Amino acid sequence: MTQPKDFGFGSNEQMLQQQARKFLDEHCSIEKLRQIIGDRTAYERDGWRRFDENTWKKISELGWPALAIPEEAGGPGLGMVAVAALVEEAGAHALPAPLLSTLLSTFVLRECKTPEAYAWMGRIAEGEAATLAITNSDGSWEPGDAPLEAKSSGGGGFTLNGTAAYVLDAPKADFLVVSAHSPQGIALFAIPVREAGIKIKADRIVDLTREQGTINFSNVRVPGNAVVAGPGKGLAVLQRALPSIWTAVAADSAGAAEWQLKTTVEYAKVREQFGRPIGFFQAVKHPIVNMMCEIDQVRSLVYNAACAIDHEPENAEKYARMAKAAAAECGWFCSGRSVQFHGGIGFTWECDVHIYFKRQQMNQFLFGDGRHHRRHLADILIGPSTVVPKGIPAGRISSRPAKKPAKKVTARKPVKAKKATTKRPSPKKKR
């Protein structure tokens, strides 16, 4: 397949984004968001369930969590471009609901292509929330570092042990998609969160709009229908799904950065200093323009990666890593500028800027930060560093001529000091 030159939105994507913006403006305004994150009772009720369940129910009825699910499993089967358009709006409203984590789970389940995976995607289409638990306590985002150990218990079932860490929206999920090591290789499982032996501990994180948890599995017995990708097949599934995961997280960052730019510009128009709005001064104008340029670059990379996932899968990893790396750094830059230009109130609770600042900090490290993806991009674009070009002796990776070995320095013999002489110089002869 070839990638079309114009990777902009079609009529379906434009309609979806407009509807999402209208719905979120109405049901997830900044005032509503402050009520949710400021509700202290939410901390005490069933963990950290800081989201409006009625809003989540309406989102499920709109079919957003099932957007990427194939028609055979009960979803519309839309492509990654449509998902990026939706997630960008969710990021712009800092949506406090498990939409992103559920979409990430569908990316993995649809790549399994097994009857069991299709059955679990049907549960998402019916309104259940899901999340990915593929990271171990070391914080590695490599797909081969599965957090659990799986042993066959007979009859197609398995017993799982281990700890999955940094699980996004874990307290909100109805079921988990987890990866585990088995003697035959990595396998993937879908498990209800209330299965016997599963304990979820809510983590305290900076992001006030989402939750994160650490999940302990102690002799969790799962039946054969929980195996969505058999032993030895899970790694390939994750590798095919990860570009979609990175692109979705980058789209969320792009939407949040757009809100930061808009809010900062509005503030620069009304905040006066030295008798003029601060937006009059070039010291403020230029960084705001830099924010806009950074966001446009990230948005272009996100759309390009989404288009590649739909039409050019052989380049999906390269473009998705570019989008995730740029989004991580753009989020950091825009967060800093928005807080800086709001002056002394920028880091106070009363200013809304801190809500998006904290969401961007979490997005920055979610499934790999900029350094992680740039290191892998270097391997894709210029090849692994262990590759030795032709004509270069083994053991060297540079085409520069080798330096001559330094001469061995030997200690010199100590020089004997001349004995002081008392002989007086002979007087000059007089003519």
Side-chain angles (χ1 to χ4, degrees), residues 152-188:
S152 176
S153 58
F158 285 84
T159 301
L160 304 179
N161 283 286
T163 301
Y166 313 107
V167 181
L168 182 66
D169 288 330
K172 298 174 182 174
D174 295 304
F175 71 89
L176 313 166
V177 178
V178 302
S179 61
H181 288 285
S182 72
Q184 295 79 28
I186 291 179
L188 298 177

Short mmCIF file of all heavy atoms in Angstrom, two decimals, residues 152-188:
data_model
loop_
_atom_site.label_atom_id
_atom_site.label_comp_id
_atom_site.label_asym_id
_atom_site.label_seq_id
_atom_site.Cartn_x
_atom_site.Cartn_y
_atom_site.Cartn_z
N SER A 152 1.47 -23.05 32.52
CA SER A 152 0.29 -23.79 32.10
C SER A 152 -0.31 -24.54 33.28
O SER A 152 0.40 -25.18 34.07
CB SER A 152 0.66 -24.75 30.97
OG SER A 152 -0.46 -25.54 30.62
N SER A 153 -1.64 -24.43 33.41
CA SER A 153 -2.34 -25.15 34.49
C SER A 153 -3.21 -26.28 33.95
O SER A 153 -4.02 -26.83 34.69
CB SER A 153 -3.22 -24.16 35.27
OG SER A 153 -4.14 -23.52 34.41
N GLY A 154 -3.05 -26.58 32.66
CA GLY A 154 -3.81 -27.67 32.06
C GLY A 154 -5.14 -27.22 31.49
O GLY A 154 -5.74 -26.24 31.96
N GLY A 155 -5.60 -27.91 30.48
CA GLY A 155 -6.89 -27.56 29.88
C GLY A 155 -6.88 -26.25 29.13
O GLY A 155 -7.95 -25.65 28.93
N GLY A 156 -5.70 -25.78 28.72
CA GLY A 156 -5.62 -24.49 28.02
C GLY A 156 -5.53 -23.29 28.94
O GLY A 156 -5.38 -22.15 28.45
N GLY A 157 -5.63 -23.51 30.24
CA GLY A 157 -5.55 -22.40 31.18
C GLY A 157 -4.13 -22.12 31.65
O GLY A 157 -3.19 -22.89 31.37
N PHE A 158 -3.96 -21.00 32.37
CA PHE A 158 -2.64 -20.61 32.86
C PHE A 158 -2.77 -20.06 34.28
O PHE A 158 -3.85 -19.62 34.71
CB PHE A 158 -2.02 -19.53 31.97
CG PHE A 158 -1.51 -20.05 30.65
CD1 PHE A 158 -2.37 -20.22 29.57
CD2 PHE A 158 -0.17 -20.40 30.49
CE1 PHE A 158 -1.90 -20.69 28.35
CE2 PHE A 158 0.31 -20.87 29.28
CZ PHE A 158 -0.57 -21.03 28.21
N THR A 159 -1.64 -20.05 34.97
CA THR A 159 -1.53 -19.41 36.28
C THR A 159 -0.54 -18.26 36.16
O THR A 159 0.59 -18.45 35.68
CB THR A 159 -1.04 -20.40 37.35
OG1 THR A 159 -1.97 -21.49 37.42
CG2 THR A 159 -0.96 -19.73 38.71
N LEU A 160 -0.96 -17.07 36.59
CA LEU A 160 -0.15 -15.86 36.43
C LEU A 160 0.35 -15.37 37.78
O LEU A 160 -0.40 -15.35 38.77
CB LEU A 160 -0.98 -14.75 35.77
CG LEU A 160 -1.62 -15.08 34.41
CD1 LEU A 160 -2.42 -13.88 33.91
CD2 LEU A 160 -0.55 -15.46 33.40
N ASN A 161 1.63 -14.95 37.78
CA ASN A 161 2.23 -14.37 38.97
C ASN A 161 3.12 -13.20 38.55
O ASN A 161 3.74 -13.24 37.47
CB ASN A 161 3.09 -15.40 39.72
CG ASN A 161 2.24 -16.37 40.52
OD1 ASN A 161 1.70 -16.04 41.56
ND2 ASN A 161 2.11 -17.60 40.00
N GLY A 162 3.17 -12.19 39.40
CA GLY A 162 4.03 -11.04 39.12
C GLY A 162 3.33 -9.73 39.44
O GLY A 162 2.24 -9.71 40.02
N THR A 163 4.00 -8.64 39.06
CA THR A 163 3.47 -7.29 39.34
C THR A 163 3.57 -6.44 38.10
O THR A 163 4.65 -6.29 37.52
CB THR A 163 4.25 -6.63 40.49
OG1 THR A 163 4.16 -7.44 41.66
CG2 THR A 163 3.69 -5.25 40.80
N ALA A 164 2.44 -5.89 37.70
CA ALA A 164 2.40 -4.94 36.58
C ALA A 164 2.36 -3.53 37.16
O ALA A 164 1.52 -3.24 38.03
CB ALA A 164 1.19 -5.20 35.70
N ALA A 165 3.25 -2.67 36.69
CA ALA A 165 3.37 -1.32 37.25
C ALA A 165 2.99 -0.27 36.21
O ALA A 165 2.94 -0.54 35.01
CB ALA A 165 4.80 -1.08 37.74
N TYR A 166 2.73 0.94 36.74
CA TYR A 166 2.43 2.11 35.89
C TYR A 166 1.27 1.83 34.93
O TYR A 166 1.33 2.15 33.75
CB TYR A 166 3.67 2.53 35.11
CG TYR A 166 4.92 2.62 35.96
CD1 TYR A 166 5.92 1.66 35.85
CD2 TYR A 166 5.07 3.63 36.89
CE1 TYR A 166 7.05 1.72 36.66
CE2 TYR A 166 6.20 3.70 37.69
CZ TYR A 166 7.18 2.75 37.56
OH TYR A 166 8.31 2.81 38.36
N VAL A 167 0.21 1.23 35.45
CA VAL A 167 -0.95 0.87 34.62
C VAL A 167 -1.91 2.06 34.60
O VAL A 167 -2.48 2.43 35.64
CB VAL A 167 -1.64 -0.39 35.16
CG1 VAL A 167 -2.82 -0.76 34.28
CG2 VAL A 167 -0.64 -1.53 35.25
N LEU A 168 -2.10 2.63 33.43
CA LEU A 168 -2.94 3.82 33.27
C LEU A 168 -4.40 3.47 33.55
O LEU A 168 -4.93 2.49 33.01
CB LEU A 168 -2.77 4.37 31.85
CG LEU A 168 -3.54 5.64 31.51
CD1 LEU A 168 -3.01 6.82 32.32
CD2 LEU A 168 -3.44 5.94 30.02
N ASP A 169 -5.06 4.29 34.36
CA ASP A 169 -6.50 4.15 34.66
C ASP A 169 -6.83 2.77 35.22
O ASP A 169 -7.96 2.27 35.02
CB ASP A 169 -7.32 4.40 33.40
CG ASP A 169 -7.35 5.87 33.01
OD1 ASP A 169 -7.26 6.71 33.93
OD2 ASP A 169 -7.44 6.18 31.82
N ALA A 170 -5.92 2.17 35.95
CA ALA A 170 -6.16 0.83 36.50
C ALA A 170 -7.38 0.80 37.43
O ALA A 170 -8.19 -0.13 37.35
CB ALA A 170 -4.92 0.33 37.24
N PRO A 171 -7.58 1.80 38.32
CA PRO A 171 -8.76 1.73 39.20
C PRO A 171 -10.08 1.88 38.47
O PRO A 171 -11.13 1.61 39.05
CB PRO A 171 -8.53 2.90 40.16
CG PRO A 171 -7.07 3.18 40.10
CD PRO A 171 -6.69 2.91 38.69
N LYS A 172 -10.07 2.36 37.22
CA LYS A 172 -11.31 2.57 36.49
C LYS A 172 -11.67 1.41 35.58
O LYS A 172 -12.78 1.35 35.06
CB LYS A 172 -11.20 3.83 35.64
CG LYS A 172 -10.99 5.11 36.41
CD LYS A 172 -10.74 6.25 35.45
CE LYS A 172 -10.48 7.56 36.19
NZ LYS A 172 -10.10 8.64 35.26
N ALA A 173 -10.71 0.52 35.29
CA ALA A 173 -10.90 -0.49 34.25
C ALA A 173 -11.79 -1.62 34.73
O ALA A 173 -11.82 -1.97 35.92
CB ALA A 173 -9.54 -1.03 33.81
N ASP A 174 -12.50 -2.23 33.77
CA ASP A 174 -13.29 -3.43 34.05
C ASP A 174 -12.48 -4.70 33.77
O ASP A 174 -12.70 -5.72 34.41
CB ASP A 174 -14.55 -3.43 33.19
CG ASP A 174 -15.48 -2.29 33.56
OD1 ASP A 174 -15.84 -2.21 34.75
OD2 ASP A 174 -15.83 -1.47 32.68
N PHE A 175 -11.57 -4.64 32.79
CA PHE A 175 -10.68 -5.77 32.55
C PHE A 175 -9.32 -5.29 32.05
O PHE A 175 -9.18 -4.14 31.61
CB PHE A 175 -11.30 -6.81 31.60
CG PHE A 175 -11.42 -6.38 30.17
CD1 PHE A 175 -10.38 -6.59 29.26
CD2 PHE A 175 -12.59 -5.80 29.71
CE1 PHE A 175 -10.51 -6.22 27.94
CE2 PHE A 175 -12.72 -5.43 28.38
CZ PHE A 175 -11.68 -5.64 27.50
N LEU A 176 -8.33 -6.17 32.17
CA LEU A 176 -6.94 -5.83 31.86
C LEU A 176 -6.45 -6.66 30.68
O LEU A 176 -6.82 -7.82 30.53
CB LEU A 176 -6.04 -6.13 33.06
CG LEU A 176 -6.51 -5.63 34.43
CD1 LEU A 176 -5.69 -6.31 35.52
CD2 LEU A 176 -6.33 -4.13 34.51
N VAL A 177 -5.59 -6.05 29.87
CA VAL A 177 -4.86 -6.77 28.84
C VAL A 177 -3.40 -6.81 29.29
O VAL A 177 -2.75 -5.76 29.38
CB VAL A 177 -4.98 -6.09 27.47
CG1 VAL A 177 -4.16 -6.84 26.42
CG2 VAL A 177 -6.44 -6.00 27.03
N VAL A 178 -2.90 -8.01 29.65
CA VAL A 178 -1.58 -8.13 30.26
C VAL A 178 -0.68 -9.02 29.40
O VAL A 178 -1.17 -9.85 28.62
CB VAL A 178 -1.69 -8.73 31.69
CG1 VAL A 178 -2.57 -7.88 32.56
CG2 VAL A 178 -2.20 -10.15 31.63
N SER A 179 0.62 -8.81 29.54
CA SER A 179 1.60 -9.65 28.85
C SER A 179 2.38 -10.44 29.91
O SER A 179 2.62 -9.96 31.02
CB SER A 179 2.57 -8.80 28.02
OG SER A 179 3.28 -7.90 28.84
N ALA A 180 2.77 -11.66 29.54
CA ALA A 180 3.45 -12.54 30.50
C ALA A 180 4.45 -13.41 29.77
O ALA A 180 4.25 -13.80 28.61
CB ALA A 180 2.43 -13.40 31.24
N HIS A 181 5.56 -13.69 30.48
CA HIS A 181 6.56 -14.62 29.97
C HIS A 181 6.06 -16.05 30.19
O HIS A 181 5.54 -16.38 31.25
CB HIS A 181 7.89 -14.44 30.69
CG HIS A 181 8.60 -13.18 30.33
ND1 HIS A 181 9.25 -13.01 29.13
CD2 HIS A 181 8.75 -12.02 31.03
CE1 HIS A 181 9.79 -11.81 29.10
NE2 HIS A 181 9.51 -11.18 30.22
N SER A 182 6.25 -16.89 29.19
CA SER A 182 5.98 -18.32 29.32
C SER A 182 7.18 -19.07 28.74
O SER A 182 8.03 -18.45 28.07
CB SER A 182 4.71 -18.69 28.56
OG SER A 182 4.94 -18.64 27.16
N PRO A 183 7.31 -20.34 29.00
CA PRO A 183 8.47 -21.08 28.44
C PRO A 183 8.55 -21.01 26.93
O PRO A 183 9.64 -21.12 26.36
CB PRO A 183 8.22 -22.52 28.93
CG PRO A 183 7.41 -22.36 30.17
CD PRO A 183 6.53 -21.19 29.93
N GLN A 184 7.42 -20.81 26.25
CA GLN A 184 7.43 -20.73 24.78
C GLN A 184 7.53 -19.30 24.26
O GLN A 184 7.57 -19.09 23.04
CB GLN A 184 6.16 -21.37 24.21
CG GLN A 184 6.03 -22.86 24.45
CD GLN A 184 5.57 -23.17 25.86
OE1 GLN A 184 4.87 -22.37 26.48
NE2 GLN A 184 5.96 -24.34 26.39
N GLY A 185 7.56 -18.31 25.13
CA GLY A 185 7.64 -16.91 24.71
C GLY A 185 6.53 -16.09 25.34
O GLY A 185 5.79 -16.58 26.21
N ILE A 186 6.41 -14.85 24.90
CA ILE A 186 5.44 -13.92 25.51
C ILE A 186 4.03 -14.24 25.02
O ILE A 186 3.80 -14.46 23.82
CB ILE A 186 5.82 -12.47 25.19
CG1 ILE A 186 7.10 -12.09 25.95
CG2 ILE A 186 4.70 -11.50 25.56
CD1 ILE A 186 7.58 -10.72 25.70
N ALA A 187 3.09 -14.25 25.98
CA ALA A 187 1.68 -14.45 25.68
C ALA A 187 0.88 -13.27 26.21
O ALA A 187 1.33 -12.55 27.10
CB ALA A 187 1.18 -15.76 26.32
N LEU A 188 -0.31 -13.06 25.65
CA LEU A 188 -1.18 -11.96 26.08
C LEU A 188 -2.48 -12.53 26.62
O LEU A 188 -3.03 -13.50 26.06
CB LEU A 188 -1.47 -11.02 24.90
CG LEU A 188 -0.26 -10.31 24.29
CD1 LEU A 188 -0.70 -9.48 23.09
CD2 LEU A 188 0.43 -9.43 25.31
#
